[in-house]
Structure formats: C-alpha cells, structure tokens
C-alpha cells in the first residue's frame, strides 16, 4: 500500500475471503501495488430539537449565542483541541419543511485517532443542555419559543466527508499472461462493474464482496463494524439508487480499478488498546494511526472486490469457493491426513460437492 508491504489481519468466518484477498494482493504486488488516499476525516453529529415559533428569531438567537454554545464544550474538547482536533463547525438547520417545528444543530468534528463516538456524543449532549438553558432565558422569545424540546443528541454514522480512496492500475496488456486474454479480461471486468453501477440486485452483492474485506479488517482492528457498514451503505445509496462502491475503467490502454468509502474508525479508544488480540493485530499492521488504518481497510475492500469480480468474469465464483470448502467438508468427515492428500489430488480435476467428497472417502475407506 503506497509502496509499503503490510500484513493485514482479518477476522471472518468465510475462509475464501482470506484466500481471495491474498490472491489479489499477490496479483497486484507485481503491478505497482495499491494506492490509498485520504480525502477527508470530518465526523458528524446532530442535536435534533423542536422549536415552536418564529424561525427568524431562532436564527438570530443562534447567531447571537453560537460562541457561547461552543464555549460550553471547552472542557470536553480541551484535550482533543490540543491534539489538533475538536469541533470544526456548528450550524443551525431548519428541517421544519419535513416535520413541523423540527430543527437541528449540525456539528462537525475532527477526532484525530479516535472513531470519536463517545467524544462526539458528550459534546452534543453538552450543546443540547446549553441550547435549552440559553433559550429559556432569551428575552426575545415568547414562552412557547423558550420551551425548546431536545429530542436526541447523537453522532451520525453517515460520514461523507470522512472518505478514503483505494486504487490499482496497470497497462491493460500486462493483466494476464497473453495480450489477447488481458484485453478481453479488462473489458469484461469493466462491464461487470458497470452492471453493479446500474443494477441494484447486482450492486448489493458486489458491495457485499467489498464488505467481506472491509468488515474483516475493521473487526480485527477492534472497530465498530456496524457503524462502518451503515455509513458505507448510505454512501452507496447517496445518489438515490443503491450502486457499486467501486469503479473500473480502461483509458489510454490503462486499466484502473478504484473504491471510495466513508470510514470512521480509530486506533485509540473503544477496545483497540484493551483486547489482547486486537492489540496484536495493530502491531501486525505496524501500529497505524487512524488515517493509515482507513487506507488499509479500503485496500482490503478493493482487493476483495477485485478477486471476486476476477473469478466471476473468468472461472466463475464456485471453483475457488469449493476448493476452499473442500477442506471444511473433509474435516466434517474426520478425514485423515492421507485421505485429505488423496482428495486434494482427486479434486484438482473433479467437481467438489458434499456428495462427491463423501463418495470418494467411502471408496478410499473401502480399499
Ligand atoms: P473512547 O471514548 O473509548 O476513546 C476515545 C478517546 O481517546 C478520545 O475521546 C480521547 O479522549 C482519547 N485519545 C487519546 N489519544 C487520542 C488520539 N491520538 N486521538 C484521538 N483521541 C485520543 O472511543 P470513541 O472513539 O469516542 O468511541 C468509540 C466507541 O464508541 C466504539 O467502540 C463504538 O462502538 C462506540 N459507540 C458507537 C456509537 C455509534 O456508532 N453510533 C454510539 C455510541 C458508542
């Protein structure tokens, strides 16, 4: 990744995911490797509240007290500010078109190496308390306007400005051993990704393949994979239709495959420093900071997606899957080491299924 060789831990129940990621890593290791770029690190939080009254007066109130609202969080943000983070923007959003009397405080944060959920939620709850207190005392408000009702204060897991891009590219003609196969492969690959851009049924499975890689590394790094998944799927549907997260193109005889995903993850906080295996995983990756971990996770997603689409447009997905699954089936039948060896040799040229494996073992055991 960006010229460095890394070992990436994955925690997942599907063994073929690890094999596919390794396969893609090996493939790209001789073609320039992966690049990864941080496009932004902004996190989002909202105070959702009801204000019954003159909208103009609420906007004036907000402008008058914005500094006081922010100052009320000084104690909470002190350490984060000294690390270069903190609250970066605070605005009032009128959502009364959608729900009568509904407004938001929209708050933007930089949380450095933390995912930031607890920090953000603490800031938001403080802002909410201060909002109510200031409104209750505001001389220009009527009694109804003074009675702001805070519905909830919570971070958003949709972080479109906390984005990372991973990419691979190489001349089309070096993709496969022959130039002819390479051209055909690149064209089919691009078609497959275009289908996932326009066809939601395919897009969901295409993105599931990306999440195979992303979830596995997010989980191994002790991060919140539900938060990551919710944000990524929201991004995939941001145009109003659920679409592929990755893009592929051939331009000037160069094949390029890339992925953009929003990722709010941390290398401090949560259980990142507490869980012994998680701590070990961070060491395995070279103790990355949050931005480096974002890059690693995005690359794992792209590698996984590359491997899946590559098999889909060439051999089909089942060949690799069933080869991996062969060992699981053999273990279910308590196969001995010599039976496993014989089965691996046999299934080099034969189709793997529960039934064919059972038949072969029966034959081996009867001779
Ligand atoms: P946290 O509160 O455990 O730790 C983060 C804290 O570490 C920071 O607030 C800061 O005080 C400190 N810190 C030390 N060095 C730092 C550095 N270099 N950069 C930044 N901060 C540094 O963790 P968190 O990140 O606030 O929250 C993550 C946890 O919150 C996750 O486990 C997640 O599951 C959970 N959570 C998620 C949601 C959600 O996603 N909706 C809601 C609530 C809680």
């Amino acid at each position: 990744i960006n010229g460095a060789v890394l070992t990436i831990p994955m925690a997942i129940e599907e063994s073929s995911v690890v094999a596919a990621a390794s396969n893609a890593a090996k493939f790209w290791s001789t073609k320039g490797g992966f690049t990864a770029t941080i496009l932004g690190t902004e996190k989002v939080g909202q105070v959702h509240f009801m204000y019954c009254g003159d909208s103009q007066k609420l906007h004036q109130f907000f402008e008058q007290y914005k500094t006081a609202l922010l100052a009320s969080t000084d104690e909470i943000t002190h350490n984060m500010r000294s690390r270069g983070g903190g609250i970066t923007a605070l605005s009032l959003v009128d959502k009364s078109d959608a729900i009568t009397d509904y407004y938001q405080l929209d708050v933007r944060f930089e949380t450095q190496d933390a995912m930031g959920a607890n920090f953000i939620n603490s800031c938001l709850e403080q802002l909410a308390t201060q909002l109510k207190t200031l409104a209750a005392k505001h001389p220009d408000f009527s009694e109804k306007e003074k009675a702001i009702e805070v519905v909830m204060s919570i971070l958003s897991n949709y972080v479109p400005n906390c984005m990372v891009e991973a990419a691979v590219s190489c001349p089309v003609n070096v993709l496969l051993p022959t130039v002819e196969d390479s051209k055909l492969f690149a064209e089919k690959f691009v078609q497959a990704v275009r289908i996932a851009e326009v066809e939601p049924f395919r897009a969901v499975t295409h993105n599931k393949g990306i999440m195979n890689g992303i979830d596995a590394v997010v989980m191994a790094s002790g991060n919140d994979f539900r938060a990551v998944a919710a944000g990524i799927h929201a991004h995939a549907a941001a145009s109003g239709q659920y679409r592929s997260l990755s893009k592929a193109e051939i331009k000037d005889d160069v094949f390029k495959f890339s992925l953009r995903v929003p990722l709010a993850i941390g290398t401090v906080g949560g259980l990142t420093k507490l869980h012994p295996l998680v701590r070990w995983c961070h060491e395995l990756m070279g103790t990355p900071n949050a931005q480096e971990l974002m890059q690693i996770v995005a690359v794992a997603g792209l590698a996984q997606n590359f491997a899946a689409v590559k098999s889909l447009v060439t051999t089909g997905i089942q060949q690799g899957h069933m080869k991996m699954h062969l060992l699981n089936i053999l273990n279910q039948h308590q196969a001995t080491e010599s039976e496993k060896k014989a089965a691996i040799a046999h299934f080099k040229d034969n189709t793997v299924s529960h039934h064919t494996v059972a038949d072969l073992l029966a034959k081996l055991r009867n001779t």
Side-chain angles (χ1 to χ4, degrees), residues 46-323:
Q46 296 165 321
V47 176
H48 304 271
F49 67 95
M50 298 296 172
Y51 164 80
C52 182
D54 181 344
S55 170
Q56 197 77 21
K57 276 162 77 178
L58 182 65
H59 279 91
Q60 282 161 0
F61 161 83
F62 176 73
E63 287 311 321
Q64 187 177 339
Y65 290 109
K66 189 173 165 180
T67 312
L69 282 166
L70 286 170
S72 75
T73 63
D74 275 355
E75 215 172 293
I76 305 170
T77 60
H78 179 266
N79 285 347
M80 198 59 92
R81 280 183 284 123
S82 67
R83 291 185 197 100
I87 297 175
T88 55
L90 171 65
S91 54
L92 174 68
V93 183
D94 184 343
K95 300 288 281 187
S96 58
D97 275 355
I99 299 176
T100 311
D101 301 336
Y102 170 35
Y103 293 81
Q104 295 171 354
L105 289 182
D106 177 288
V107 198
R108 304 294 161 127
F109 299 86
E110 286 294 336
T111 59
Q112 305 308 92
D113 287 325
M115 180 250 192
N118 291 314
F119 169 72
I120 293 171
N121 290 340
S122 301
C123 289
L124 293 171
E125 288 186 3
Q126 177 55 37
L127 286 168
T129 305
Q130 185 72 347
L131 175 75
K132 274 175 73 86
T133 308
L134 291 171
K137 292 192 297 205
H138 189 49
D140 295 347
F141 278 169
S142 67
E143 285 311 306
K144 232 166 65 174
E145 288 165 338
K146 282 180 178 170
I148 279 180
E149 182 203 336
V150 171
V151 181
M152 58 193 159
S153 309
I154 180 82
L155 89 160
S156 172
N157 292 118
Y158 182 39
V159 283
N161 297 325
C162 188
M163 191 76 77
V164 54
E165 180 174 279
V168 284
S169 73
C170 72
V172 167
N173 61 14
V174 304
L175 277 166
L176 292 180
T178 73
V179 173
E180 205 173 89
D181 284 352
S182 296
K183 265 190 79 179
L184 195 65
F185 168 71
E187 278 160 15
K188 263 188 107 176
F189 194 103
V190 169
Q191 274 171 347
V193 178
R194 286 217 179 109
I195 288 171
E197 276 167 33
V198 302
E199 165 53 53
F201 278 89
R202 173 59 202 145
V204 171
T205 317
H206 181 91
N207 290 347
K208 185 273 180 185
I210 293 171
M211 298 311 289
N212 277 340
I214 289 183
D215 274 345
V217 184
V218 168
M219 219 184 302
S221 70
N223 272 282
D224 185 334
F225 57 94
R226 289 86 56 214
V228 164
I232 288 180
H233 294 304
H235 173 61
S239 68
Q241 184 189 311
Y242 192 90
R243 293 177 192 281
S244 162
L245 292 159
S246 59
K247 291 198 178 323
E249 63 170 19
I250 303 167
K251 211 171 155 193
D252 302 328
D253 292 325
V254 171
F255 170 81
K256 183 176 177 193
F257 184 44
S258 63
L259 168 74
R260 277 188 185 190
V261 274
L263 279 176
I265 50 177
T267 51
V268 299
L271 51 67
T272 53
K273 296 271 186 281
L274 296 176
H275 192 290
L277 260 178
V278 165
R279 235 179 20 231
W280 182 83
C281 286
H282 281 257
E283 282 164 23
L284 188 70
M285 289 184 281
T287 321
N289 60 26
Q291 294 194 22
E292 288 160 345
L293 185 60
M294 284 168 74
Q295 295 180 339
I296 294 170
V297 169
V299 163
L302 185 71
Q304 196 61 40
N305 194 208
F306 178 78
V309 176
K310 180 172 174 271
S311 352
L312 283 171
V313 301
T314 54
T315 57
I317 203 83
Q318 277 311 85
Q319 193 185 83
H321 264 259
M322 292 316 282
K323 283 258 150 72

